[in-house]
Amino acid sequence: MAKPKPLIIVESPAKAKTISRFLGNRYQVKASMGHVRDLPKSQFGVSVDKGFLPRYITIRGKGPLLKELRDAAKKTDRVFLATDPDREGEAISWHLAESLGIPVDKASRIEFHEITKDAVTQAIRQARPIDMRLVDAQQARRVLDRIVGYQLSPLLWRKVRPGLSAGRVQSAALKILLDREDAIRAFVPEEYYTVALEAMTGGKTISADYTGPLGARGRISQADAESVLGGIAAGSTVTVTAVKTRERRRFPALPFTTSTLQQEASRRLGFSVKRTMSLAQQLYEGLDVAGEGTVGLVTYIRTDSTRVSEGAQVETQAYIEAVFGSGYRKIPGAGRAEKARPGVQDAHEAIRPTVVARHPDHLKSSLGRDQFRLYRLIWERFVASQMAPEVYDATSADFTAGGALFRAKGVVVKFKGFTELYQESTEGDEPAEDGRAPLPPLEEGERLTVAAIVAEQHFTEPPPPFTEASLVKTLEELGIGRPSTYAPIIDTLLQRTYAERLQKRLMPTDLGRVVVDLLKKYFPEIVDVSFTAAVEGQLDQVESAEVAWQHVLERFYRPFAEELAKAEQDVEKVSLPEETTDEVCAECGRPMVVKYGRFGKFLACSGYPECTQTRPYLEKTGAICPKCHKTLVVRRTRKGRTFYGCQGYPDCDFVTWNRPSDRTCPRCGSHMAQKKKGHRESLFCLKEGCGYEEQQAQ
């Protein structure tokens, strides 16, 4: 009789496919499709008086899958639980163990940080029991969020409007957005001036900025600017009083953590945080690569560490020497140091390619456009982080004239180092070519002719609105949330219309302000940034076994329950301004307004209660129906799948599964739609019979 194959359970079919490819027939690999048990959706599911005991049930629809896993587990003597290497992954493994009858102290848990043959086989050899400290930390987070969500949200339904939610972390993030908006509104710009001159030497022009003795950093009043201008005229001379040249080094950025990947992908590629994590998950779980089959391309994507394994460093240094030369290798011990941040767990390596020799260009034909762009970003950032610094001479030259001091700066790059491959971008900017121009040769005492001198008016600017990238950075700096939570936080704010994305900026809505104002008054801890960060620290203490998870919940719940009871009595119904539309009531001709009910938005006559007409709310796409020229709107099937149809239904039956684009067909003028075949994306004309289609650039 053949020996039964060991069973490996992972979360996703993609990961199962990747692992099966290199483990072959020696193991059977199955997917749990994420969580198999959770708190019930329709009930609170937590017994507060029994030590916050959670009641877990099998997730609806997972029964047949669990039966399949149980049957497979009964036929083998070894089951390995290979869910993600974090708290949530540990909790999923625990739920699987409970459901399959596997003792938690049995060495069944394996974890790996990259999906490669070596990593998985090494993990199997190092199987361990389930770590209940990680499970308890995750349980504490889940129960905390359930307490806030299921006990506070109904208050918002009754006092503000149906369908709202209040989350422990999302509320603090929303307050951060509102505080920034308030700072922008309260900002009073202040006028200041700068003065710059251009001087000539040897037929070359030098630009120098006024630095003193008036003002700070060259910022002066209009009167002072006029005084400086009055003392220097075009055609006069300035004297070189000092020339200093120093060799400097610019070190590469550290390899990506989850938050820095989200920030850089937003700035450079224009990806939302949600889009970045979706693509990164695909790269981690494995994709079909020509000549290799299904392989995992990057290491685990939820990490707060910039640490790199010794083996990866050795491999990368060898690659850099072979491709760029030995001078480009990173000097051991040199480089940018990571700043201390609250709550860093350092459980996983930084995000990096699993095989550094797998150059992005080799994968271009195998990956979708956005997959390729994100992989290239990860690959370039990591390889650059292991390269030598840029070396340059920084020269400053001081000039004096009429009692005023001016300074010119120039740079001469001596060795490009890591900048041969990659430069980190800044907020809202692409990394630019190095525009630091060198200064011409200058000597102290040399006199130069002033070609021009000008003063320029400026005004101080308010703090900028948050982007997804800058909000993630702020959340991380404040210790709010963890790598796995940044994307869900932002997604929830947008879905609940507490914030909206306008030209890549996250702007709080009037609804968001109403909710935060209510929470600030009656539940100040929920929106308090320091309190939220402190709770994250307590969850870390649960993981390190410094405190029991029930104790964390007890400290939170008692004051919260008192505040909730008081708010039920004191909070009055909040009236929100009605959202008007350009639709008119078919019965009385008055404008239709947006209302919110149990199943979301709907349109109602503004003449209520005299007129009770309602109709479904249709989200417009901006595209025009190619059959009847009415607007195409978003619709959903009974199972929730999105499709797009004509607003004139049932008179017009045009529908498409492909999302309409704002692009129009160059052949017939109708709107086009996005279509995806495998990894290939294209735009095609919606008009029947036109046939125009164009591939999107990879």
Side-chain angles (χ1 to χ4, degrees):
M1 184 176 176
K3 186 177 179 180
K5 298 177 185 177
L7 172 65
I8 299 176
I9 302 177
V10 297
E11 285 148 306
S12 76
K15 192 188 296 186
K17 180 180 177 182
T18 304
I19 294 173
S20 295
R21 188 192 68 80
F22 52 68
L23 290 185
N25 294 325
R26 293 175 297 151
Y27 296 85
Q28 52 178 329
V29 186
K30 294 184 177 293
S32 71
M33 308 298 291
H35 286 272
V36 293
R37 297 197 311 174
D38 198 4
L39 298 171
K41 279 189 175 183
S42 58
Q43 302 172 21
F44 183 38
V46 177
S47 298
V48 175
D49 55 350
K50 295 182 180 179
F52 300 94
L53 181 69
R55 182 172 69 87
Y56 296 110
I57 63 171
T58 300
I59 295 173
R60 179 174 293 182
K62 289 293 183 78
L65 175 61
L66 263 180
K67 182 180 184 304
E68 179 186 337
L69 294 176
R70 286 194 191 99
D71 291 342
K74 290 175 182 177
K75 296 175 183 177
T76 181
D77 55 356
R78 292 303 306 272
V79 178
F80 296 105
L81 305 172
T83 50
D84 283 348
D86 56 17
R87 290 176 184 169
E88 189 167 6
E90 201 75 18
I92 294 175
S93 282
W94 175 65
H95 285 301
L96 284 167
E98 291 276 300
S99 300
L100 304 182
I102 301 172
V104 295
D105 57 355
K106 185 175 182 179
S108 60
R109 175 73 167 116
I110 63 173
E111 59 177 318
F112 38 82
H113 306 280
E114 57 185 74
I115 304 179
T116 61
K117 183 176 182 179
D118 289 345
V120 174
T121 53
Q122 177 74 5
I124 291 172
R125 289 194 292 268
Q126 297 177 343
R128 60 167 175 78
I130 289 172
D131 190 339
M132 290 305 298
R133 298 174 304 171
L134 294 174
V135 174
D136 288 345
Q138 180 62 24
Q139 281 199 112
R141 177 186 293 279
R142 187 74 184 94
V143 173
L144 265 176
D145 292 343
R146 176 54 65 104
I147 289 172
V148 174
Y150 272 63
Q151 297 200 348
L152 184 51
S153 294
L155 177 70
L156 297 180
W157 302 347
R158 292 189 292 272
K159 305 297 185 179
V160 184
R161 79 175 186 206
L164 299 183
S165 71
R168 181 180 57 86
V169 180
Q170 81 188 41
S171 299
L174 179 57
K175 184 176 183 296
I176 291 172
L177 290 181
L178 284 163
D179 287 346
R180 175 63 59 87
E181 179 70 10
D182 290 341
I184 293 171
R185 290 181 179 181
F187 182 81
V188 178
E190 296 180 3
E191 180 189 54
Y192 69 93
Y193 284 76
T194 59
V195 179
L197 66 78
E198 292 184 352
M200 300 295 296
T201 177
K204 294 185 177 180
T205 302
I206 298 175
S207 296
D209 297 321
Y210 175 81
T211 58
L214 304 171
R217 294 181 298 171
R219 295 184 173 189
I220 55 179
S221 67
Q222 182 179 7
D224 289 338
E226 291 173 350
S227 175
V228 173
L229 292 177
I232 306 170
S236 62
T237 59
V238 292
T239 303
V240 180
T241 57
V243 180
K244 297 179 181 178
T245 299
R246 294 181 179 178
E247 183 180 275
R248 296 189 180 277
R249 295 171 183 267
R250 185 157 66 106
F251 290 93
L254 296 165
F256 282 131
T257 62
T258 301
S259 71
T260 55
L261 174 63
Q262 292 169 349
Q263 293 168 49
E264 188 76 343
S266 175
R267 290 190 293 254
R268 186 175 293 203
L269 305 179
F271 291 169
S272 67
V273 169
K274 183 178 181 180
R275 178 67 173 155
T276 297
M277 295 311 293
S278 174
L279 292 166
Q281 186 73 22
Q282 295 166 24
L283 296 176
Y284 166 67
E285 291 184 343
L287 294 166
D288 290 331
V289 173
E292 295 189 71
T294 306
V295 292
L297 297 176
V298 301
T299 55
Y300 190 54
I301 58 169
R302 295 178 183 88
T303 177
D304 55 13
S305 175
T306 57
R307 175 172 49 83
V308 178
S309 70
E310 184 177 345
Q313 292 183 55
V314 171
E315 176 191 359
T316 308
Q317 291 297 314
Y319 178 87
I320 292 169
E321 181 172 358
V323 175
F324 295 96
S326 59
Y328 284 84
R329 292 179 55 169
K330 180 180 178 180
I331 301 170
R336 186 187 294 188
E338 183 176 15
K339 296 179 182 178
R341 290 179 284 112
V344 174
Q345 295 175 293
D346 196 36
H348 317 299
E349 279 190 73
I351 301 171
R352 61 172 176 81
T354 53
V355 178
V356 75
R358 202 176 272 134
H359 192 280
D361 289 346
H362 301 160
L363 304 177
K364 194 169 186 179
S365 62
S366 300
L367 304 183
R369 177 174 181 267
D370 288 348
Q371 291 170 341
F372 168 75
R373 295 169 71 202
L374 188 66
Y375 177 76
R376 181 175 62 185
L377 185 65
I378 293 170
W379 187 91
E380 289 181 351
R381 171 75 164 237
F382 174 69
V383 175
S385 75
Q386 304 301 304
M387 294 176 71
E390 177 194 47
V391 182
Y392 61 94
D393 283 338
T395 300
S396 65
D398 291 345
F399 308 90
T400 57
L405 176 66
F406 293 81
R407 177 166 293 168
K409 296 180 179 180
V411 164
V412 176
V413 177
K414 299 164 69 176
F415 176 66
K416 296 188 73 172
F418 74 93
T419 63
E420 286 274 13
L421 178 64
Y422 173 87
Q423 293 190 59
E424 186 177 20
S425 61
T426 56
E427 180 66 32
D429 294 326
E430 288 279 347
E433 289 295 319
D434 194 2
R436 299 168 294 172
L439 291 177
L442 295 169
E443 294 183 2
E444 292 186 18
E446 184 177 351
R447 299 176 70 82
L448 310 179
T449 301
V450 177
I453 182 168
V454 294
E456 187 175 354
Q457 182 189 41
H458 306 271
F459 291 92
T460 54
E461 295 184 354
F466 278 108
T467 62
E468 290 195 17
S470 58
L471 180 59
V472 166
K473 182 179 181 181
T474 300
L475 292 175
E476 182 181 41
E477 289 173 345
L478 295 174
I480 296 174
R482 287 297 180 260
S484 61
T485 65
Y486 300 136
I489 288 170
I490 293 174
D491 194 42
T492 299
L493 293 179
L494 294 172
Q495 284 190 353
R496 298 291 182 183
T497 65
Y498 294 155
E500 56 186 349
R501 193 187 290 111
L502 298 174
Q503 297 180 340
K504 296 187 178 181
R505 307 297 187 192
L506 287 177
M507 307 298 293
T509 62
D510 291 340
L511 175 61
R513 184 172 294 278
V514 166
V515 170
V516 167
D517 286 347
L518 187 151
L519 295 177
K520 277 197 304 185
K521 185 174 182 180
Y522 295 98
F523 304 90
E525 293 88 355
I526 297 296
V527 292
D528 183 74
V529 169
S530 58
F531 177 82
T532 305
V535 171
E536 294 290 352
Q538 292 170 28
L539 295 176
D540 293 340
Q541 290 180 323
V542 172
E543 181 177 332
S544 59
E546 298 175 50
V547 62
W549 67 278
Q550 294 92 340
H551 182 58
V552 172
L553 295 170
E554 182 70 31
R555 283 192 296 189
F556 173 85
Y557 184 75
R558 297 307 169 190
F560 174 77
E562 293 174 4
E563 292 171 344
L564 186 65
K566 187 174 186 300
E568 286 284 1
Q569 299 297 321
D570 297 348
V571 177
E572 296 181 355
K573 178 73 176 177
V574 178
S575 297
L576 290 170
E578 288 186 332
E579 182 182 343
T580 59
T581 71
D582 55 4
E583 303 280 337
V584 294
C585 177
E587 188 72 21
C588 67
R590 281 178 281 200
M592 302 291 281
V593 296
V594 178
K595 296 287 187 179
Y596 293 82
R598 181 180 177 186
F599 301 105
K601 292 182 179 181
F602 65 95
L603 294 180
C605 180
S606 57
Y608 181 86
E610 290 85 4
C611 181
T612 58
Q613 286 294 309
T614 62
R615 72 174 69 146
Y617 175 84
L618 300 176
E619 180 185 344
K620 298 180 180 180
T621 65
I624 302 301
C625 174
K627 291 183 70 173
C628 72
H629 306 294
K630 291 184 179 179
T631 302
L632 291 179
V633 297
V634 180
R635 297 186 182 276
R636 287 175 178 82
T637 67
R638 290 183 179 179
K639 293 186 177 181
R641 186 180 176 188
T642 299
F643 69 100
Y644 308 91
C646 181
Q647 188 179 23
Y649 178 83
D651 296 329
C652 178
D653 60 358
F654 178 83
V655 293
T656 178
W657 292 109
N658 303 100
R659 182 171 187 83
S661 166
D662 57 2
R663 287 274 309 278
T664 54
C665 174
R667 182 179 295 171
C668 72
S670 295
H671 275 86
M672 303 176 73
Q674 299 171 333
K675 180 167 62 176
K676 189 171 183 179
K677 292 181 179 178
H679 298 315
R680 301 290 182 182
E681 296 178 356
S682 64
L683 289 171
F684 73 98
C685 182
L686 285 170
K687 186 174 182 179
E688 187 176 355
C690 175
Y692 180 81
E693 184 172 349
E694 63 181 48
Q695 295 292 324
Q696 291 186 281
Q698 291 290 308

